[in-house]
Amino acid sequence: MLRKIAFNLFAWSIVLMVAFPLFWMLVTSVKPQFELFRRPPTILPETWTFEHYWKLLSDTNFLGYFWNSVILSTTTTIVVVAIATVGAYSLVRFRYKGRESLAFLVLFTYLLPSVVLILPLYLMLVQLGLSNTITSLVIAYTTFALPYALWLLRSFMAGIPEDLESAALVDGASRLGAFWDIILPQLLPGIISTALFTFILSWNEYLYALVLVNSDDARPLTTGVMNMLISSFNIEWSLLMAASVMMSVPLIIVFAFLQSYLTRGFGAGGVKG
Amino acid sequence: MLAAVGPPAARRPDPQRYAMAKQQQTVLERQYSRLGLLLIAPTVLVFCAVIAYPLVSAIYLSLFKIFTPTLEGTWVGLDNYRTLLVKGEFWTSLRANLIWTVGTLTLQIIFGVGMALVLHQNIWFRSLARSLILFPYFISTVVAVLVWKWLFNDLYGILNHLMISAGLIDWPIDYLGTMPNAMISVILVGAWKYFPFVVIAVLARLQSIPDQLYEAARIDGAGPIARFFDVTLPQLREVLVVIIMLRAIWDFKEFDLIFLLTGGGPVTSTQTLPLVVYKEAFALNQMGMAAAYAVIMMLIMLVFMILYMRRTQREDT
Amino acid sequence: MADVVLSNVHKKFGTFTAVEDLNLDIQQGEFISLLGPSGCGKTTTLRMLAGLEFPTSGEIRIGDRVVNDVPPGDRDIAMVFQSYALYPHMSVGQNIAYPLKKRRVPKTERAGMVAKTAEMLQLTPLLHRKPKELSGGQQQRVALGRALVRDPKVFLLDEPLSNLDAKLRGYMRAELIELHQRLGRTMVYVTHDQLEAMTMSDRIAVMEGGKLQQFAPPQEVYRAPANRFVASFIGTPGMNIVDGSLHEDAGRWTFTAPGFSVDAGQLGPDARPGPAAMGIRPEGLTIGSGPIQGITQLVEQTGHENITVVRLEDGLRMTGRTAPDRLWRTGEPVQLSIDARQAHFFAEGPTGKRLNRDVCTMDAPGSNGTSLKEATS
């Protein structure tokens, strides 16, 4: 019994240490500015305040960035998951020339570094007159999100028994009918987890946003918030921590309600870092 | 099922039948193939437009000297590569890149496996603990960097305060502005951010080890330590190899975390290859040289990528 | 009238030949089993009939049309899968209704047909359950129901009983036989279980290595196996097969094995002197008297008989059936005789052709002999 308690205390102290930076982020965001510079620092805030959140929403362009990120990530997710779902169906359940090498290519691009593609992509999008638009970012995000989504969905698809589709065909469905009636409902959990991962990847992306967008109209959260750090003369840590918390809100929602889908995604094909 | 038995080649089919055997696909089969190609077409189009074409033009770009703002270029052949390989910067960056990759990967694996073993036990509020551990992996690198910069802050950062009050140091440490502190800090933050990946992957494998193996080991008289080395570790070997390869690839190409934490500094001591590519292209305006760096970097990574892909292909079949 | 015909059907997967030059013609209303060990091509054959695999060459007819280019749904067939392949997100009722829905049967009619089928299979109380809430036997009946509901011309069954436990399997076997008699539809049944094939079929197609070995009624497959493979595959305990050689002397053949020889009498035109094999079923062996010396090695008591394994002097082992009242001890010396009239002779090789001249006179397809069922059980 004693050993069990000791082990639990040990385990939880490690867990809390790992989680401490996040706890500190939360605490800092609700401390008044003057309390930050107190010595010794207060672990829990003496006075709670949401002034930084108000300031973030009213005085800065945070909401604009947030909105850009929502549009950008949602569009990327819808486009990528739609293409990848039919693509994965084709890769797993059809036979044609070049199918194997295509699957190989998907894996290859899944591992490809962004910095290799970013230079020509930059040139291409500038020439197309798309720089500084959300569209340019959707196109750029496809480069990492599509191989990733394909790879995940391919393994989810392979997990659906082929007999189900065969049965539907014998029962009178066409290939696409069987896909719609039988495969899609079975694939739904996989689609949800792929969509979540794609959304999170897009939400967190930094490099493409940094290179391709240089105007507040299209700037997403990652570069937007970073700009707030760089451009301010006097760094307001509470404000930045409030921004960090707000930026993590979608993630917290996913964690609270849809965590099983994230774990499923891990099982299906590893996760992009 | 069909792979089990080979065909006994007792009787050769006669020529006419052989000709029939070479007959074309049925109409239905052709229809299916066409449908399959139709369904993969969007993927192929997107791949060609945003991946294959840029990949080829990256190699092409590396043969030019291009001034980024005007995008005007002149053909220089392999000059960029020649300059790059004799320049010290490439080698120091490669070195920094390797130190970062090996350092952070080692910590990720050690912490990750350790944490997975802890979480595999029946601790209180296990799912909450798992969520807390998982969280750093899913937050944006921007958030992680902001938080750590605040923790590292030399005047008001909690880290310096804690270390001074614990008597470990007398003066606040500059975590990001001096060497080797900067490299160590980057490696630590990288480990913190990415070790949850190892935790989840290892945990999933641990949960699939059959209990009988442990029971058998116990019957054979193995203690807890012997059981770890004789049962757990061999079972984890496969998944660890895959994790190490994947993480090595991803850590090697990491840009955001290092760029945002140190920007490659102090001077160039944490400047890894992806940072050089960015600097050449958008700070020094040398697009061609940047492309050359990117291509070289890809070639280095290709070794790992091929190793990983071969392994995956083998598992696939 | 032939209902299902396969002519010169080949199927290759890459360089691997799954089915080689298969010819089958199945009569209307017949119950046919495709029997063989795993990997013999039986499931591939069934899937080609269903339109789920495509023959590399050859022709498949169902009814009066060539169906090579007809999609599975238009072939007027129904299939029951080994895994049942019930749609997990649909209720039992929706599962059974799916083929009707795909054939645009009006909704009002559909409900009646589903209800009738459910009634027949005692599924009525389960119609609103999801497949995963059902037992194995119930799932099996739903799979059957989905096939039955649209009254197809041909039923294809892919090892439908192999996931059930032994008792339920026996029960479902009887159910299927009854169903076949009631519906009078053509059924093609894939199995690796010879007991199922022997008890249920009008004719059995024994396959091995992608090739048809024999296509005949169960009695004929048992009594006059076409070759050594069929002989050894059918029957439990299996036929004793002894390698040796054949000699001819003025039209009379003698089979010689190390330790004994058997008078083979007259053989068919394919018989050649030289290496050959002899097969004798356990019931063709008399243990207790005879010219061959051996030692009992193993005695299995099943209750109504004993299965006795005898080791001959040179290490050869023979299995025989003996009455339960005479129990030999292990290691006891015994005499053995072989009933030459019941012996089969095969040419050399694993699928060596049967050389006997006599061909049993057979009943017409469709009426199973009862004596055989005892022999194989």
Side-chain angles (χ1 to χ4, degrees):
Chain A
M1 191 59 203
L2 208 66
R3 252 180 74 181
K4 198 185 162 193
I5 292 173
F7 181 77
N8 267 288
L9 290 177
F10 163 75
W12 267 97
S13 54
I14 300 181
V15 171
L16 291 178
M17 253 158 68
V18 170
F20 178 77
L22 303 165
F23 165 77
W24 200 238
M25 159 177 94
L26 215 57
V27 165
T28 308
S29 75
V30 293
K31 274 183 186 174
Q33 189 77 8
F34 62 82
E35 210 181 312
L36 291 189
F37 308 118
R38 184 85 52 82
R39 300 241 138 212
T42 47
I43 293 300
L44 284 172
E46 275 172 3
T47 19
W48 289 64
T49 173
F50 290 97
E51 58 176 306
H52 310 298
Y53 288 90
W54 286 122
K55 193 177 171 197
L56 189 69
L57 299 180
S58 54
D59 291 4
T60 68
N61 195 26
F62 185 85
L63 271 183
Y65 300 145
F66 197 93
W67 186 237
N68 287 341
S69 268
V70 169
I71 294 183
L72 168 61
S73 305
T74 312
T75 316
T76 308
T77 305
I78 292 172
V79 170
V80 161
V81 171
I83 296 177
T85 305
V86 290
Y89 178 47
S90 172
L91 279 181
V92 176
R93 290 291 153 78
F94 286 85
R95 286 177 217 152
Y96 45 82
K97 242 189 173 150
R99 188 182 65 123
E100 297 285 315
S101 25
L102 206 61
F104 196 71
L105 192 72
V106 171
L107 182 58
F108 177 77
T109 50
Y110 171 54
L111 302 172
L112 204 65
S114 304
V115 286
V116 176
L117 298 179
I118 196 161
L119 308 172
L121 269 178
Y122 172 76
L123 296 183
M124 191 171 101
L125 293 168
V126 166
Q127 270 158 15
L128 289 173
L130 287 172
S131 56
N132 287 327
T133 60
I134 292 183
T135 316
S136 73
L137 287 183
V138 171
I139 294 173
Y141 285 10
T142 314
T143 58
F144 61 82
L146 184 61
Y148 174 70
L150 259 171
W151 194 245
L152 265 188
L153 281 170
R154 188 172 165 265
S155 67
F156 280 122
M157 187 76 74
I160 298 173
E162 211 174 337
D163 274 0
L164 285 184
E165 192 184 354
S166 303
L169 294 182
V170 172
D171 283 346
S174 62
R175 287 302 292 262
L176 284 180
F179 177 66
W180 188 258
D181 291 344
I182 309 300
I183 292 189
L184 223 45
Q186 292 306 304
L187 195 63
L188 198 64
I191 291 178
I192 293 175
S193 71
T194 308
L196 285 179
F197 271 112
T198 312
F199 189 91
I200 292 173
L201 278 181
S202 316
W203 187 265
N204 291 344
E205 205 286 333
Y206 177 77
L207 178 59
Y208 283 117
L210 175 69
V211 170
L212 295 175
V213 168
N214 197 17
S215 105
D216 269 1
D217 296 335
R219 193 172 276 144
L221 272 176
T222 45
T223 46
V225 170
M226 234 33 228
N227 257 21
M228 282 160 58
L229 170 77
I230 296 158
S231 57
S232 59
F233 174 69
N234 189 7
I235 300 173
E236 291 184 59
W237 283 109
S238 293
L239 188 71
L240 285 172
M241 290 303 107
S244 299
V245 173
M246 292 287 287
M247 202 174 155
S248 310
V249 162
L251 227 71
I252 294 167
I253 294 172
V254 169
F255 255 71
F257 301 107
L258 301 165
Q259 214 195 110
S260 65
Y261 289 103
L262 290 186
T263 348
R264 212 188 306 242
F266 262 106
V271 166
K272 197 178 160 76
Chain B
M1 170 197 159
L2 288 159
V5 175
R11 185 168 53 96
R12 285 264 136 242
D14 61 51
Q16 191 207 340
R17 211 177 276 138
Y18 187 66
M20 274 181 71
K22 291 202 71 170
Q23 218 177 38
Q24 280 300 300
Q25 298 168 305
T26 63
V27 176
L28 199 56
E29 212 171 359
R30 269 204 302 279
Q31 272 173 13
Y32 284 175
S33 305
R34 228 174 293 143
L35 180 62
L37 288 171
L38 192 72
L39 292 173
I40 198 72
T43 307
V44 172
L45 276 178
V46 172
F47 260 70
C48 289
V50 301
I51 298 170
Y53 166 72
L55 193 62
V56 174
S57 51
I59 298 167
Y60 184 65
L61 280 178
S62 71
L63 305 175
F64 285 82
K65 185 177 167 61
I66 303 167
F67 185 57
T68 311
T70 58
L71 298 180
E72 274 167 23
T74 45
W75 172 267
V76 292
L78 292 173
D79 267 7
N80 284 332
Y81 293 96
R82 229 165 281 146
T83 325
L84 175 160
L85 289 173
V86 294
K87 244 194 341 192
E89 190 164 27
F90 169 74
W91 298 105
T92 51
S93 299
L94 182 60
R95 190 168 152 266
N97 213 340
L98 290 175
I99 293 174
W100 143 260
T101 307
V102 172
T104 198
L105 181 62
T106 312
L107 291 182
Q108 283 166 27
I109 297 294
I110 294 171
F111 286 147
V113 173
M115 199 69 233
L117 289 172
V118 168
L119 286 180
H120 188 52
Q121 306 302 315
N122 208 357
I123 66 165
W124 303 325
F125 302 109
R126 188 159 73 171
S127 63
L128 178 66
R130 208 176 60 177
S131 298
L132 287 174
I133 290 292
L134 219 56
F135 210 72
Y137 186 74
F138 286 99
I139 57 166
S140 166
T141 308
V142 169
V143 172
V145 166
L146 285 175
V147 173
W148 277 97
K149 278 200 163 188
W150 170 229
L151 292 167
F152 281 151
N153 190 291
D154 44 1
L155 290 177
Y156 307 107
I158 185 89
L159 225 53
N160 268 328
H161 171 76
L162 288 176
M163 294 203 16
I164 291 174
S165 43
L168 289 171
I169 49 172
D170 296 328
W171 296 101
I173 292 183
D174 185 357
Y175 289 96
L176 297 171
T178 57
M179 279 300 277
N181 294 9
M183 183 56 95
I184 295 171
S185 300
V186 169
I187 286 175
L188 276 174
V189 176
W192 175 79
K193 175 112 178 55
Y194 295 120
F195 92 102
F197 176 85
V198 184
V199 176
I200 292 299
V202 171
L203 202 55
R205 185 69 188 85
L206 280 177
Q207 277 157 0
S208 70
I209 298 177
D211 280 341
Q212 289 103 301
L213 284 182
Y214 288 102
E215 276 157 31
R218 195 169 298 152
I219 290 164
D220 292 342
I225 293 164
R227 283 205 296 273
F228 174 75
F229 281 102
D230 295 340
V231 180
T232 313
L233 218 52
Q235 291 282 318
L236 287 183
R237 220 185 60 189
E238 284 282 302
V239 75
L240 277 178
V241 170
V242 174
I243 294 172
I244 289 172
M245 283 198 285
L246 260 182
R247 285 261 37 115
I249 291 167
W250 286 331
D251 289 336
F252 193 86
K253 68 181 189 181
E254 177 65 45
F255 174 84
D256 303 3
L257 191 106
I258 307 172
F259 181 76
L260 291 170
L261 264 180
T262 67
V267 198
T268 58
S269 42
T270 55
Q271 181 179 263
T272 57
L273 288 171
L275 270 74
V276 184
V277 176
Y278 177 80
K279 188 175 83 175
E280 288 283 347
F282 300 105
L284 305 177
N285 289 326
Q286 294 297 323
M287 191 68 97
M289 186 54 110
Y293 267 108
V295 170
I296 291 267
M297 188 186 138
M298 190 174 68
L299 288 179
I300 297 171
M301 285 182 60
L302 217 53
V303 181
F304 292 96
M305 286 161 76
I306 288 169
L307 275 178
Y308 178 74
M309 288 198 284
R310 277 180 130 176
R311 197 179 175 82
T312 317
Q313 295 268 307
R314 206 175 56 210
E315 274 167 22
D316 250 23
T317 47
Chain C
M1 184 193 123
D3 200 29
V4 177
V5 181
L6 289 99
S7 340
N8 302 338
V9 170
H10 286 256
K11 176 64 186 175
K12 285 187 181 173
F13 293 105
T15 53
F16 172 69
T17 306
V19 173
E20 195 179 330
D21 197 20
L22 182 64
N23 289 286
L24 280 180
D25 52 295
I26 299 168
Q27 305 296 315
Q28 181 148 20
E30 228 181 342
F31 193 118
I32 294 299
S33 288
L34 300 177
L35 175 68
S38 45
C40 72
K42 58 190 191 297
T43 296
T44 307
T45 305
L46 194 76
R47 289 176 63 86
M48 284 194 285
L49 281 177
L52 299 169
E53 299 286 355
F54 308 99
T56 313
S57 67
E59 194 181 86
I60 299 175
R61 284 172 168 276
I62 294 176
D64 43 15
R65 19 173 221 170
V66 175
V67 293
N68 286 37
D69 293 333
V70 178
D74 299 338
R75 290 190 177 192
D76 206 3
I77 49 154
M79 184 159 169
V80 177
F81 291 81
Q82 182 176 7
S83 62
Y84 312 143
L86 302 180
Y87 312 129
H89 57 291
M90 296 185 189
S91 69
V92 169
Q94 287 168 322
N95 260 287
I96 297 177
Y98 187 73
L100 301 177
K101 194 172 145 196
K102 285 285 124 180
R103 286 186 172 67
R104 302 185 197 291
V105 175
K107 221 173 183 159
T108 42
E109 241 173 278
R110 232 190 274 165
M113 292 163 83
V114 170
K116 214 179 93 189
T117 309
E119 176 97 41
M120 184 163 79
L121 294 164
Q122 296 142 36
L123 288 169
T124 311
L126 306 174
L127 278 178
H128 295 286
R129 297 246 191 110
K130 288 278 169 66
K132 65 165 180 276
E133 299 162 353
L134 304 179
S135 69
Q138 288 166 336
Q139 290 186 15
Q140 157 79 77
R141 292 214 300 277
V142 178
L144 265 176
R146 201 170 59 187
L148 288 173
V149 71
R150 31 178 264 247
D151 193 22
K153 199 176 178 63
V154 179
F155 284 92
L156 306 175
L157 305 114
D158 185 8
E159 310 215 18
L161 306 184
S162 62
N163 289 339
L164 301 178
D165 62 56
K167 202 177 153 195
L168 203 53
R169 198 151 54 208
Y171 173 73
M172 284 308 295
R173 215 160 58 211
E175 290 277 281
L176 278 175
I177 294 172
E178 200 204 327
L179 202 67
H180 175 239
Q181 281 164 357
R182 184 142 44 110
L183 299 172
R185 292 290 182 219
T186 310
M187 293 193 173
V188 183
Y189 188 98
V190 162
T191 183
H192 63 267
D193 182 336
Q194 47 162 312
L195 181 64
E196 282 175 15
M198 294 295 277
T199 51
M200 297 165 78
S201 329
D202 296 320
R203 280 191 292 168
I204 301 176
V206 184
M207 293 182 74
E208 156 68 1
K211 278 185 280 195
L212 183 65
Q213 307 293 333
Q214 188 169 13
F215 186 34
Q219 307 92 311
E220 192 178 324
V221 170
Y222 188 81
R223 288 191 191 147
N227 60 36
R228 180 171 171 170
F229 173 79
V230 177
S232 60
F233 191 73
I234 305 283
T236 321
M239 185 186 276
N240 299 294
I241 295 187
V242 182
D243 285 306
S245 57
L246 278 171
H247 307 280
E248 192 201 359
D249 184 20
R252 291 199 68 82
W253 293 81
T254 312
F255 177 81
T256 316
F260 64 92
S261 62
V262 173
D263 176 17
Q266 291 179 318
L267 290 180
D270 289 332
R272 299 279 177 278
M278 183 203 74
I280 182 85
R281 295 218 179 266
E283 53 267 33
L285 227 54
T286 309
I287 296 176
S289 65
I292 306 167
Q293 297 294 322
I295 294 168
T296 56
Q297 198 177 27
L298 179 72
V299 181
E300 289 178 325
Q301 294 174 261
T302 63
H304 69 283
E305 64 176 4
N306 292 344
I307 308 293
T308 307
V309 180
V310 179
R311 192 165 163 271
L312 304 192
E313 274 163 5
D314 56 321
L316 199 66
R317 288 197 288 180
M318 303 281 261
T319 306
R321 296 174 193 273
T322 47
D325 48 354
R326 179 64 177 102
L327 182 64
W328 274 275
R329 286 191 313 277
T330 308
E332 193 174 336
V334 289
Q335 283 86 43
L336 204 69
S337 71
I338 291 168
D339 180 1
R341 285 166 309 165
Q342 292 190 46
H344 308 268
F345 300 93
F346 303 104
E348 209 184 353
T351 54
K353 216 178 152 205
R354 185 168 182 264
L355 304 170
N356 297 43
R357 204 174 63 159
D358 60 319
V359 174
C360 306
T361 45
M362 287 286 94
D363 306 319
S367 60
N368 290 346
T370 43
S371 59
L372 267 156
K373 286 175 189 170
E374 286 159 27
T376 50
S377 59

